[in-house]
Amino acid sequence: MNILIIGATSAIATASARRWAASQASFFLVGRNKDHLQQIGDDLLVRGASATHHHVLDVNAFDDHEAMIKACFSIMGKVDVVLVAHGTLPDQQACQRDVGLMLREFSTNGLSVIALLTLLANRLESQGSGTIAVISSVAGDRGRSSNYLYGSAKASVNAFCEGMRARLFKSGVHVLTIKPGFVDTPMTQGLALPKLLLVGPDRVAADIVKAVDKGKSIVYTPWFWRWIMAIIRSIPGVFFRRMNI
């Protein structure tokens, strides 16, 4: 199995890759830090991966996307699974004060993902097979005052994936939207998150690998977030705007 991972140095992406490595998968790892990518690649080889390659990319350098994808398909020939895992967790209040910061964060979490998916959809549609798995967030289910910049970027990704899923279904390409809740990663360090709802990246990775294998369209991870977000979506706006969430 040939796997392309964009944002390969993220904790969830690394945990997912380790699970796929056990089945002797081959990897094309994409991220900003060359040394970190090399370390992850070496680790995956020890864990059973048949081959690893890496490519340095700043996802906000849109003009470089095509070259990265061309390099990936040139080396791997066919790609069975794409995992889009990059992202940041912006400071909502800082984004409210700085339009430039707001645009950069929206680009990283929304526009760069959509730009990459546009190119990848065309490639896999021509190939006639494969799975595109995209890590979004439960934050995209409803705009909340505490993180609506991040949530709106993820909501745009969710809507894009839903339409792309319907388009690519006819060509045999599957699209999976992944919606994690609170995950204990370097991105969430320092945040006051409820411990009862906090899980490690390996728990999320297990759900991702399982969802890819089963051909699911949307997966909440852990599973209870589906019901938590159903409750949050059902709260009438007149009450929701008074809540500090």
Side-chain angles (χ1 to χ4, degrees):
M1 181 164 58
N2 294 332
I3 301 175
L4 163 62
I5 302 181
I6 301 170
T9 59
S10 83
I12 295 175
T14 301
S16 301
R18 286 175 174 173
R19 287 179 171 271
W20 280 315
S23 57
Q24 299 183 318
S26 176
F27 294 92
F28 192 90
L29 308 172
V30 179
R32 286 184 299 176
N33 188 312
K34 182 179 179 180
D35 292 339
H36 198 177
L37 289 171
Q38 183 67 57
Q39 291 170 4
I40 292 171
D42 293 343
D43 174 69
L44 294 176
L45 288 172
V46 171
R47 294 173 184 271
S50 60
T52 64
H53 312 274
H54 62 263
H55 186 101
V56 176
L57 176 74
D58 178 347
V59 294
N60 285 315
F62 287 52
D63 290 343
D64 295 339
H65 288 185
E66 181 76 57
M68 179 277 290
I69 293 171
K70 186 176 180 181
C72 173
F73 278 82
S74 176
I75 291 173
M76 307 193 90
K78 176 186 176 187
V79 173
D80 300 297
V81 176
V82 177
L83 176 62
V84 180
H86 69 272
T88 57
L89 190 59
D91 182 326
Q92 173 64 36
Q93 293 191 5
C95 288
Q96 292 169 197
R97 296 188 298 267
D98 185 337
V99 174
L101 175 62
M102 181 274 292
L103 291 173
R104 286 194 299 276
E105 294 291 357
F106 194 90
S107 177
T108 300
N109 291 290
L111 294 178
S112 70
V113 176
I114 289 172
L116 285 161
L117 291 178
T118 298
L119 297 174
L120 289 164
N122 294 337
R123 283 278 187 167
L124 267 68
E125 187 176 41
S126 298
Q127 183 179 278
S129 65
T131 296
I132 301 175
V134 184
I135 297 181
S136 179
S137 170
V138 296
D141 278 19
R142 191 166 191 183
R144 295 181 289 121
S145 62
S146 61
N147 72 343
Y148 62 86
L149 185 279
Y150 180 71
S152 60
K154 294 302 185 182
S156 70
V157 169
N158 293 347
F160 191 89
C161 286
E162 185 174 16
M164 191 173 69
R165 180 180 303 115
R167 167 197 161 193
L168 295 180
F169 172 77
K170 304 171 184 68
S171 58
V173 178
H174 185 65
V175 177
L176 167 65
T177 305
I178 302 155
K179 298 184 178 183
F182 299 143
V183 187
D184 186 11
T185 68
M187 196 167 80
T188 59
Q189 279 187 351
L191 298 180
L193 301 175
K195 290 186 177 180
L196 280 176
L197 299 179
L198 192 64
V199 298
D202 195 54
R203 169 71 185 276
V204 175
D207 287 341
I208 291 173
V209 172
K210 188 176 179 181
V212 169
D213 289 344
K214 290 193 170 185
K216 288 190 173 182
S217 297
I218 299 172
V219 61
Y220 286 81
T221 174
W223 60 270
F224 50 76
W225 279 100
R226 175 180 294 278
W227 307 112
I228 292 174
M229 295 314 298
I231 293 170
I232 290 177
R233 288 195 305 270
S234 71
I235 300 173
V238 66
F239 301 118
F240 192 72
R241 65 191 179 208
R242 291 176 169 80
M243 299 173 68
N244 293 319
I245 61 173

